[in-house]
Amino acid sequence: MAAPLTWRRLMYSVYTPALFGVFTRISDRFVRTQDRRRGSSLLLLAPLLAEADPTLASSRPPGSTGAARLHSRFHWIADHVPAFRVPGGRIHILHSPDEFYQAMKARIKTAKRRVVLASLYLGTGPLEQDLVNCMEEALKRSQEDTAADLKVSVLLDYTRGSRGKNNSRVMLLPLLQRFPEQMRVCLYHTPDLRGLLRLLVPERFNETIGVQHIKAYLFDDSLIISGANLSDSYFTNRQDRYVLLEDCREVADFFAELVRAVGDVSLQLGPDDTVHMKEGMVHPYKGNRLEFSASARQQIMEVMNTARTQQHMLDLECSQDSDLELECGEEPSDTWVFPLVQMKPLGIRLDEEVTQRLLREAGGDTVYLTSGYFNLTRTYMKLVLGTAAGYRILMASPEVNGFFGAKGVAGAIPEAYVHLAHQFYRKVCDLGQQGRVHLHEYHRSDWTFHAKGLWYYLEGKHHPCLTLIGSPNFGYRSVHRDLEAQIAILTENEELQAHLQKEQELLYQRSTEVSSSTFKQPNRYVKLWVKMVTPLIKNFF
């Protein structure tokens, strides 16, 4: 073990972002070459492993006449992913970190059948311990109630959840030890962190290779979709977005199955803090890279395709049988929920495909888009700059960037985002698009900004009819490296549209519009070395 330790010390001493980018590319090429040699026979099966996407559009859009017109405008989304019809009155927009935290605690305490938590990590402070205590209380009550059968499942990222001595695993071990039959903790490990790369890249920096980034919190038949992690700042002063779907069993079932499928191909945490794979599963970094990805993709796409087929058949039944349609519509099902999943390391690109088409077909509509880490992919950037839609893009000012004030190399990351924003703004100006594409910076003293997603306004409308909300940031990492999930909510419900409008206004009212003078301010100064390094490392954050 002496040699690996020596190499780690060497990496710590000479590590720079630029070197990391070069080393990663070399290592990725080496790993791909090795996998080709070991897994060449699997390549012959590629056509069989490729996912077929049959069109599942129904003969007539379901719902009321107005909703049908709106649905017909976006019916193509159901060609890619499941389409769940729900009453708009069951969807609630949460606005603050505390509201998010209190909603989770209250629902964990009253859960009867299941609690499913998917996050990047679980923090280790008092607020996080209170959350764990709520789970313990619910599990204990379930054991005392013979009619209850509560199961708790937690999905986290392996590298982030294992960082440091006091980490997410330590927080959850007491529950695993006390409730081994009711508690499950899964730690997803990216297949791209393997071999020399895994041996040499230091802790924390290894998280840049790829992580489990889905944020879904499920309590019986209700769930919260968000971009927020389970950590104290996300419960207090880190602004994000949160949507609560109350008593939406089919949507909850889908996300429970999605988390189960990802959990099945993840490392399983034991009561003694060891990890192991489920029997018959390919190991993410010891096994063959292609075999792991193909196996994981099959498991996850089975969940997607099964749900899509079931929802399509239900819509057909509701549209063809008037009595059943009445039953289906006891409450006005004026809203559709489309789950969008992006897992490029596993060959799944559903969120990317839907988002690209949504932006491509925006036409004369208006899009309010927000990202805590503004780093658009080339494709998204071309779509924003090359279409006729109006854009209002909200991003973090340097002071509310999550890396502001960080030690070491991470402390320069806000400068890198300033540099990327300036480059984008210059492109807008060079193309004469300032009247159509506007940049805004979020400001809030002693807070950080982590909100992401978009609000879509049809031309001439004052309220959004569609929103994207979840974990993706529209950047390279979200598209190519991490596991992501969000939902598209399409609604004709006027009250829900008004709530979405209020959410958008509350975020944007704390912003200022960017102009050429913005980048001349002293706090927008970007060091030369940051400008030089940013092109090499921007694909890692």
Side-chain angles (χ1 to χ4, degrees):
M1 296 300 293
L5 288 173
T6 302
W7 276 105
R8 284 197 181 99
R9 292 192 188 100
L10 178 61
M11 284 297 293
Y12 272 101
S13 62
V14 304
Y15 186 88
T16 65
L19 177 60
F20 183 40
V22 173
F23 179 80
T24 301
R25 289 176 183 137
I26 294 172
S27 178
D28 284 348
R29 184 170 296 178
F30 173 79
V31 170
R32 286 196 297 269
T33 302
Q34 292 297 104
D35 276 343
R36 286 193 197 103
R37 291 171 182 169
R38 291 194 301 267
S40 58
S41 60
L42 189 64
L43 293 176
L44 299 176
L45 299 177
L48 299 179
L49 296 173
E51 182 57 41
D53 282 320
T55 299
L56 292 175
S58 58
S59 57
R60 75 173 178 86
S64 65
T65 304
R69 286 197 300 269
L70 181 60
H71 186 271
S72 66
R73 170 72 167 75
F74 299 97
H75 77 279
W76 55 267
I77 302 177
D79 296 342
H80 298 267
V81 298
F84 297 95
R85 294 176 63 190
V86 301
R90 297 188 187 181
I91 298 179
H92 310 285
I93 306 300
L94 310 181
H95 296 285
S96 71
D98 183 65
E99 194 176 0
F100 165 59
Y101 180 58
Q102 298 302 333
M104 282 197 298
K105 287 178 61 178
R107 283 160 180 78
I108 290 173
K109 289 179 180 179
T110 58
K112 303 293 185 185
R113 295 183 292 108
R114 61 186 175 186
V115 171
V116 180
L117 307 176
S119 184
L120 175 64
Y121 70 106
L122 171 68
T124 59
L127 294 179
E128 296 91 322
Q129 186 58 57
D130 281 349
L131 206 62
V132 173
N133 292 344
C134 288
M135 288 186 264
E136 181 179 18
E137 180 182 323
L139 287 165
K140 183 180 178 181
R141 186 183 63 252
S142 175
Q143 287 187 337
E144 296 170 351
D145 184 355
T146 55
D149 185 26
L150 179 65
K151 297 285 193 282
V152 175
S153 178
V154 181
L155 171 65
L156 305 173
D157 180 69
Y158 177 87
T159 53
R160 183 61 183 90
S162 304
R163 186 204 292 180
K165 292 183 178 180
N166 188 24
N167 53 40
S168 306
R169 294 163 64 163
V170 173
M171 292 288 288
L172 295 168
L173 282 176
L175 296 183
L176 277 172
Q177 293 162 355
R178 184 173 178 182
F179 308 99
E181 302 301 319
Q182 296 173 269
M183 186 77 188
R184 184 190 190 195
V185 179
C186 305
L187 303 169
Y188 174 82
H189 192 295
T190 176
D192 293 327
L193 183 63
R194 54 174 50 228
L196 286 174
L197 196 64
R198 190 174 191 275
L199 179 67
L200 299 178
V201 177
E203 188 177 80
R204 187 175 186 181
F205 290 106
N206 58 10
E207 297 162 27
T208 63
I209 306 302
V211 295
Q212 191 303 112
H213 202 242
I214 298 169
K215 288 70 179 284
Y217 309 112
L218 194 153
F219 325 95
D220 288 340
D221 295 333
S222 300
L223 73 153
I224 295 174
I225 299 296
S226 179
N229 291 304
L230 299 176
S231 183
D232 56 359
S233 63
Y234 293 92
F235 304 152
T236 54
N237 63 346
R238 188 156 172 76
Q239 184 63 56
D240 215 301
R241 297 181 66 207
Y242 334 84
V243 61
L244 168 63
L245 289 82
E246 197 85 72
D247 295 323
C248 296
R249 180 164 188 169
E250 292 173 340
V251 185
D253 286 346
F254 169 83
F255 273 95
E257 280 298 294
L258 177 66
V259 173
R260 178 203 57 76
V262 177
D264 283 351
V265 299
S266 300
L267 293 160
Q268 313 296 306
L269 182 64
D272 57 353
D273 200 26
T274 60
V275 293
H276 63 277
M277 292 298 293
K278 286 188 68 176
E279 186 176 354
M281 295 298 177
V282 182
H283 200 283
Y285 63 87
K286 293 180 181 178
N288 181 277
R289 169 69 171 80
L290 294 176
E291 290 178 359
F292 172 82
S293 295
S295 173
R297 183 182 191 278
Q298 181 180 9
Q299 298 246 8
I300 293 162
M301 287 307 299
E302 183 177 343
V303 174
M304 297 294 298
N305 291 332
T306 298
R308 190 175 63 167
T309 301
Q310 289 175 345
Q311 290 307 305
H312 174 65
M313 296 305 297
L314 180 62
D315 280 347
L316 286 179
E317 290 175 9
C318 287
S319 64
Q320 293 171 2
D321 188 321
S322 58
D323 292 332
L324 185 58
E325 186 169 11
L326 181 63
E327 180 183 334
C328 293
E330 290 177 355
E331 289 182 77
S333 293
D334 48 16
T335 301
W336 290 263
V337 175
F338 304 95
L340 309 177
V341 175
Q342 183 74 11
M343 301 177 178
K344 195 71 164 283
L346 311 180
I348 299 172
R349 302 174 51 243
L350 299 174
D351 179 68
E352 178 187 5
E353 292 168 355
V354 171
T355 303
Q356 285 184 13
R357 182 167 174 181
L358 194 65
L359 300 183
R360 187 181 301 115
E361 298 184 357
D365 302 330
T366 300
V367 177
Y368 281 69
L369 184 150
T370 180
S371 175
Y373 301 112
F374 182 68
N375 182 19
L376 294 181
T377 65
R378 288 184 180 181
T379 301
Y380 289 157
M381 191 179 300
K382 287 179 180 178
L383 289 171
V384 171
L385 296 176
T387 58
Y391 281 90
R392 294 274 178 180
I393 300 174
L394 180 61
M395 57 188 183
S397 63
E399 295 78 14
V400 300
N401 186 291
F403 292 95
F404 185 75
K407 297 179 181 180
V409 174
I413 290 179
E415 288 185 42
Y417 281 111
V418 170
H419 183 55
L420 292 170
H422 195 187
Q423 288 181 320
F424 178 78
Y425 182 76
R426 275 200 289 247
K427 289 181 179 179
V428 172
C429 295
D430 290 345
L431 294 170
Q433 301 292 323
Q434 304 96 309
R436 187 180 63 82
V437 180
H438 303 265
L439 289 179
H440 298 256
E441 285 189 339
Y442 185 89
H443 305 271
R444 195 170 184 179
S445 179
D446 299 322
W447 280 60
T448 56
F449 183 70
H450 198 250
K452 51 188 76 72
L454 63 77
W455 301 260
Y456 193 103
Y457 296 73
L458 292 174
E459 187 173 6
K461 299 296 183 180
H462 300 292
H463 288 163
C465 65
L466 182 147
T467 189
L468 299 184
I469 180 170
S471 65
N473 274 299
F474 305 104
Y476 187 93
R477 281 202 61 164
S478 291
V479 172
H480 295 279
R481 295 191 177 277
D482 299 338
L483 302 194
E484 306 279 11
Q486 63 179 338
I487 56 174
I489 301 175
L490 175 67
T491 185
E492 183 73 13
N493 186 293
E494 293 183 357
E495 187 175 0
L496 178 55
Q497 289 183 354
H499 289 319
L500 290 170
Q501 174 67 16
K502 179 182 177 182
E503 179 197 31
Q504 178 263 303
E505 290 176 347
L506 287 174
L507 290 174
Y508 277 74
Q509 73 182 15
R510 292 186 178 275
S511 73
T512 57
E513 187 166 349
V514 170
S515 67
S516 57
S517 62
T518 301
F519 300 101
K520 298 176 183 177
Q521 298 173 13
N523 62 346
R524 299 302 192 281
Y525 173 75
V526 180
K527 300 180 187 69
L528 178 60
W529 75 265
V530 175
K531 293 180 180 179
M532 296 175 64
V533 166
T534 297
L536 297 174
I537 65 171
K538 68 178 184 178
N539 292 345
F540 294 92
F541 60 84

